Each structure stands twice: as C-alpha cells, then as structure tokens.
Amino acid sequence: HGPTDPSCFTLIQPHRVSPAAALSSRRQPLRQLALESCTSASAMASTPPVARKVLHELAEHGDVRLDSYYWLRDDSRSDPAVLAHLRAENDYTAALMSDVKHIEDEIFAEIRGRIKEDDTDVPLRRGQYYYYERTLTGKEYVQHCRRLVPTDGHITVFDAMPVGLDAPDEHIVLDENVKAEGHDYYSIGAFKVSPSGRLVAYGEDTNGDEAYTLYVIDAESGEYVGQPLKGVTSDIEWAGDDYLVYITMDSLHRPDKVCLHKLGSDQSNDMCLYHEKDDIFSLGLQASESKQYLFVRSESKSTSFIFHLDISKQKKQLEVLTPRLYGIDTAASHRGNHFYIKRRSEDFYNSELVACPSNNVAEATVLLPHRESVKIQDFQLFENHIAVYERENGLPKITVYGLPASGEALGKLQGGREIDFVDPAYAVEPEESQFHSSIIRFRYSSMKTPPSVFDYDMDSGVSVLKKINTVLGGFDSSNYVSERKWAAASDGTQIPISIIYRKDLVQLDGSDPMLLSGFGSYEVLGCYLY
C-alpha cells in the first residue's frame, strides 16, 4: 500500500468483553446480536442439514455456469422449501451450541448491561427547530423528536437546546417503536424534513431487502400526505416543498433510475430523470450543503460522473456536471456561484480539489492540488468556510479554510487551520452541520474514547464537547493507555501500530498476553475505533 494507505495493526491487552459492537450499532435490534463460539464433542453428534442439489444453468455473455444451489435464492423470503431449510439450520445451530448457551447469555447480558438504553443524541439546530433522536429502556427503536428554537440568535458552539418546564414542548414526529408493531423486521432507511419543516419523508423496510416504501407525513399531526412510493432506495431528497427525488432498483437490486415525484400525484406518473443502463454502474443521490442543488452520482469501481439539479428552477431536470471518463472518480457540492469537486484519477490517486463556476463547469480552478503524502477523503462546505477531511501518515485530520465572499474569485486554498485531537490514534467523521454558520460538527472516537460529538468554531478555534456516549459497568478511560508506534516491513515500508492496554494490569516486559489484528485493504483502516 502507498504512504497514505498503510496496513494497520492493533495490539490489544485483553480485559473483559468490549461493548464497542453494541454501542456502534445501537440502532439495530438488540436481539440481532450474535456470539460465535467453539463447540463441544457431544454437540457434534447432531446431524447438520444438507441442502439438496438442483442443477440450474446460468447463461451470460456466451458463458454457461452451473449452480446446484440456485434454488436457495428467494428474494421474496416466502419459498416454503427455502424457509424450511433455514429453520433446520437454525435448529441445528441451537442444538450444537446448547451446552454453551449459558456463556452466551452471560456475555449478552454484560454487553447489554454496558449500554445506556434511555438516551438522547445531540440535538441538531435546523431552521426553527432542534431535531434529535431518543432511545428508551426496553425498546428496540428510536423516536424522532423536535423542539422549537426559542430565539433567532446565531448558532454558536455553546448553543444548547432548552429543556425543563420553561422549554418549548417536545414533539415526537415519528416513533419507530409504534411503527414496528406487528413486524418481525423493521428499519427506517431515511428521515428527511422538507425545507419548510412542515413535512417529513421517510423510507420503511419491513422485510430486510432494503427496498423501502416511502411515506410522507405532516410533521405535526403525523397524518399521511399522498400515496406511498414503492420500491425505492434509502436515497431520497426534497426538491422544494412539493417535489421528492428518489432512486429505484432493477431486478438485481442495483440502483438504476432516479425519479421525480410531485406530492399528490400517483407514482406511475413520476418522471424518470435518468436511467443508468450500464450494469456496472449504480446511482446515488445527495443534496448540497447549501440546499440549492441535488447531485446524482453514477459510479463503478473506478469511475464516477455527476449530474446536478437546480432546485430553484421550475423545470426539474438533470444537467451534466462531470462527464463519464474511465478512471476518473468525482464527488461534488455547491456554494455561491461555484461547484466544488473532488477529483481522483490514476495520476492523482490521492485526489485534488477544484472549483468551477456554476455557469461554466468546464472552467476549473485548483483549490488543493494532488499531494503524494496526503489523501483528500471528503470536504464540507459552509457559507464562509470549507472543511477538508484528509488522511496523512494513516491518521485522519480536518483542515478548515476561510473562503472569499460568494461572487468573488477563488484561488488556491491557503492558511488552513488543523483541528487538534488529543489521542495518538483516533477516528473522526463529519456530522451534519449548518451551512449558514461557522460551526462544524464532527464525531470523534479512539481506542479509549467512546464515540463523541464535538462542535468546533472555524473562526475562533474553540471546540466544545457536546456528548460522549455513556458506557455503564464502571468503565473509566483513565485506566487505559493508548499509543502509536511504527515498525518497518520487510520492504522498508513503515507500518503504524496502534496499542491499547490497561495500565494497572500489564508488565510491558514481553510476558503480557496480546490480541493482534491487522487490516489494510480497500483503503479501510478500522483500527482506531472504541
């Protein structure tokens, strides 16, 4: 791997079972937690079910493949033969694991005992409301809530949603626990508030195939508006208060069409804005931070190109922003009278950041050039700033830059300020922030620091911790030490090693037990999370 994509190893001194998996996926039903375990010789006496063979030919591109187990594919999850085989496998697993069931129950109880079930995430101020999610003790799903913002003052890092008797009343917009009643499986894939705050669009999946049914409700009354849209992905965006843009999938569950829906009309009358017929490409959809444009991105493993839709125009149609060029990968957003584009190619493998006028997309200005040792991963736009998420020496970092007023000429970004982080190894990811403010919100975690949310003032450099996830059961981060060291591979490449240990339990003389894990493929470094 290159200098910005080193393989990563983690040394962990074992101590109790970590609740990390449960804390990082708290929105999934607790019953879905699973435990892998060794089996005893006595349990091996059970006879495993054997799937029958039914020869099936698959012809594609002049080639014929034989698949004896094709009959097990059941996208509808309703074939009696498939369901019977799955039940037999589950019964066999239960029998095989029966003698260690008490251990499974103990570990599950410990993991659950470390989770604060009655909890609220950090409210996000959006328009005239604070929006937030809440979990309740004994419940498996979240409540989507909001409260009125009592004043129209500017957003600061010290901004906090009022609570208590004198605070504006809380309103539960959507309770997933209520919606999930009567369903064996339930998942909300999208929750989008309309620009006016009057309506909410959400995608609902009740069988696990990630083909959502899209509903629109009145945010105050909860009453349904119009008819639901069937078979959509979780990519949905508002195009004003009267239109929704969404993506549907083909028979192979490949996102291939982007459609425009006018509220109150029938889905059969929706306009297809674009159909991606090349089956190596899939479609994605996102809104710009300015909320003035929507971007449709068609991507394969090595190539992506982008269309944009101007929400303000009466005629809703897609226009090409970046062309389809093999080996060129692009991502885009908007501010003022410019589009901002992250562009990666075989030559610029760490990406460059450019900007082009919205009325002349062929004219590009380089804001951040390609650098051999720094990878541009993402960027986030604000009215007066840009925050660039990068990776250097295997560690993520955020650099913020001031931008000239909208309408003024853009040039190479200079004078950036890096946000400081306290741990030697950590993970940081962008959170939704408000475009018309100087406050960037991000999520931070390290091997000893539970997931945390910070607000950072890009003008003053002041950072405020808004929330750190509570870990029950006596966890104290001060008991642990985190370090980062380097080791030379056989070819001389420097490999980062992230180390964590409980300082009162180790000797550091080579006698301590150690858990070693390593992963460095697909540019994924998952070593620094709590």
Side-chain angles (χ1 to χ4, degrees):
H1 302 283
T4 61
D5 180 31
S7 296
C8 176
F9 289 96
T10 307
L11 306 183
I12 305 174
Q13 191 269 327
H15 174 69
R16 299 178 67 83
V17 175
S18 170
L23 288 172
S24 63
S25 59
R26 56 175 299 179
R27 295 188 62 184
Q28 297 298 320
L30 291 174
R31 63 170 175 263
Q32 294 179 0
L33 293 174
L35 172 69
E36 294 184 3
S37 174
C38 297
T39 59
S40 69
S42 60
M44 291 299 291
S46 301
T47 302
V50 178
R52 59 189 172 88
K53 293 184 178 182
V54 179
L55 194 63
H56 181 83
E57 290 188 359
L58 296 167
E60 195 75 40
H61 307 299
D63 179 63
V64 177
R65 293 182 294 115
L66 301 179
D67 186 351
S68 298
Y69 300 102
Y70 187 84
W71 68 273
L72 283 168
R73 173 168 182 161
D74 176 26
D75 292 338
S76 67
R77 275 74 168 168
S78 60
D79 188 314
V82 175
L83 295 176
H85 180 76
L86 292 176
R87 292 190 187 100
E89 288 191 340
N90 288 339
D91 292 342
Y92 171 73
T93 300
L96 202 68
M97 302 289 290
S98 60
D99 60 341
V100 293
K101 184 64 167 62
H102 64 287
I103 301 176
E104 178 182 340
D105 293 340
E106 289 175 7
I107 296 177
F108 176 82
E110 180 180 349
I111 292 174
R112 182 162 187 165
R114 290 179 177 271
I115 299 174
K116 187 178 188 299
E117 295 187 45
D118 186 5
D119 203 4
T120 303
D121 68 0
V122 182
L124 175 68
R125 182 171 165 181
R126 188 193 302 140
Q128 58 181 330
Y129 292 97
Y130 291 102
Y131 291 87
Y132 54 99
E133 295 179 359
R134 174 188 289 114
T135 53
L136 303 173
T137 301
K139 300 291 185 179
E140 296 186 349
Y141 302 96
V142 304
Q143 292 178 329
H144 300 265
C145 309
R146 73 180 186 183
R147 289 179 191 261
L148 276 169
V149 177
T151 65
D152 294 328
H154 293 297
I155 299 176
T156 74
V157 290
F158 303 106
D159 187 63
M161 181 182 71
V163 294
L165 295 178
D166 297 329
D169 291 338
E170 174 184 271
H171 176 62
I172 299 175
V173 180
L174 182 72
D175 190 337
E176 294 185 18
N177 297 287
V178 175
K179 296 292 184 182
E181 292 178 359
H183 298 290
D184 293 331
Y185 177 90
Y186 191 83
S187 175
I188 293 289
F191 182 88
K192 300 285 184 175
V193 181
S194 67
S196 67
R198 186 176 62 87
L199 302 173
V200 169
Y202 69 93
E204 179 183 271
D205 176 14
T206 58
N207 59 21
D209 63 359
E210 297 184 348
Y212 296 89
T213 300
L214 177 60
Y215 297 93
V216 177
I217 60 173
D218 184 290
E220 284 298 316
S221 68
E223 294 181 357
Y224 290 106
V225 177
Q227 297 299 312
L229 308 180
K230 305 286 188 178
V232 308
T233 72
S234 58
D235 281 358
I236 61 173
E237 295 289 350
W238 288 94
D241 278 321
D242 298 322
Y243 290 91
L244 281 164
V245 177
Y246 63 92
I247 291 176
T248 61
M249 298 178 287
D250 63 13
S251 60
L252 298 178
H253 277 218
R254 177 182 66 94
D256 70 326
K257 290 182 181 179
V258 56
C259 301
L260 178 71
H261 174 75
K262 181 174 175 58
L263 292 189
S265 65
D266 191 85
Q267 186 177 5
S268 63
N269 297 322
D270 289 354
M271 179 191 303
C272 178
L273 298 175
Y274 178 70
H275 181 196
E276 180 54 80
K277 298 179 181 180
D278 190 334
D279 60 10
I280 70 170
F281 285 83
S282 296
L283 298 181
L285 172 69
Q286 70 177 53
S288 66
E289 291 93 342
S290 66
K291 306 303 181 186
Q292 292 181 246
Y293 284 87
L294 300 183
F295 297 101
V296 175
R297 186 168 183 251
S298 182
E299 62 176 328
S300 67
K301 293 296 183 183
S302 61
T303 304
S304 68
F305 57 99
I306 299 172
F307 301 92
H308 65 81
L309 184 150
D310 188 340
I311 294 174
S312 66
K313 289 185 177 180
Q314 186 69 25
K315 186 177 181 180
K316 304 289 193 283
Q317 63 183 20
L318 296 180
E319 297 181 29
V320 175
L321 175 57
T322 60
R324 185 195 302 236
L325 298 173
Y326 180 78
I328 306 296
D329 178 54
T330 54
S333 194
H334 164 266
R335 168 192 174 267
N337 57 353
H338 283 83
F339 293 117
Y340 291 68
I341 302 169
K342 180 174 75 75
R343 187 164 58 191
R344 183 194 58 79
S345 66
E346 185 175 339
D347 293 329
F348 293 163
Y349 49 84
N350 279 337
S351 298
E352 62 177 349
L353 185 62
V354 303
C356 61
S358 53
N359 60 358
N360 184 9
V361 296
E363 178 186 322
T365 299
V366 176
L367 303 180
L368 281 177
H370 173 264
R371 290 157 291 172
E372 294 286 336
S373 60
V374 181
K375 178 180 177 61
I376 300 175
Q377 294 190 295
D378 200 358
F379 66 94
Q380 198 169 3
L381 284 170
F382 298 81
E383 190 171 35
N384 298 308
H385 300 84
I386 183 171
V388 184
Y389 288 77
E390 300 169 311
R391 187 178 290 276
E392 186 173 18
N393 290 324
L395 276 181
K397 65 178 184 178
I398 307 174
T399 306
V400 297
Y401 300 87
L403 292 175
S406 296
E408 294 185 8
L410 288 171
K412 184 177 180 180
L413 296 178
Q414 296 179 335
R417 173 193 285 163
E418 284 190 29
I419 299 178
D420 294 326
F421 301 108
V422 297
D423 293 296
Y426 55 87
V428 60
E429 296 179 345
E431 288 277 293
E432 183 180 350
S433 305
Q434 294 310 289
F435 179 74
H436 298 288
S437 78
S438 64
I439 310 302
I440 179 174
R441 175 169 289 183
F442 57 85
R443 182 171 294 272
Y444 175 86
S445 177
S446 76
M447 298 174 75
K448 59 176 286 188
T449 306
S452 312
V453 175
F454 285 86
D455 279 354
Y456 177 87
D457 191 317
M458 294 179 285
D459 288 327
S460 67
V462 174
S463 181
V464 174
L465 174 65
K466 309 300 287 189
K467 176 182 173 65
I468 182 169
N469 282 11
T470 300
V471 181
L472 304 177
F475 170 75
D476 184 351
S477 63
S478 65
N479 291 331
Y480 297 85
V481 175
S482 175
E483 300 179 9
R484 192 169 193 252
K485 298 184 181 296
W486 294 84
S490 57
D491 63 355
T493 301
Q494 292 293 308
I495 307 298
I497 305 175
S498 303
I499 307 167
I500 186 168
Y501 54 88
R502 181 154 173 158
K503 58 188 178 183
D504 60 336
L505 295 179
V506 299
Q507 303 298 321
L508 299 181
D509 59 0
S511 64
D512 300 305
M514 178 186 72
L515 173 65
L516 172 65
S517 65
F519 191 84
S521 298
Y522 317 112
E523 300 187 40
V524 173
L525 295 172
C527 313
Y528 311 136
L529 295 174
Y530 176 83

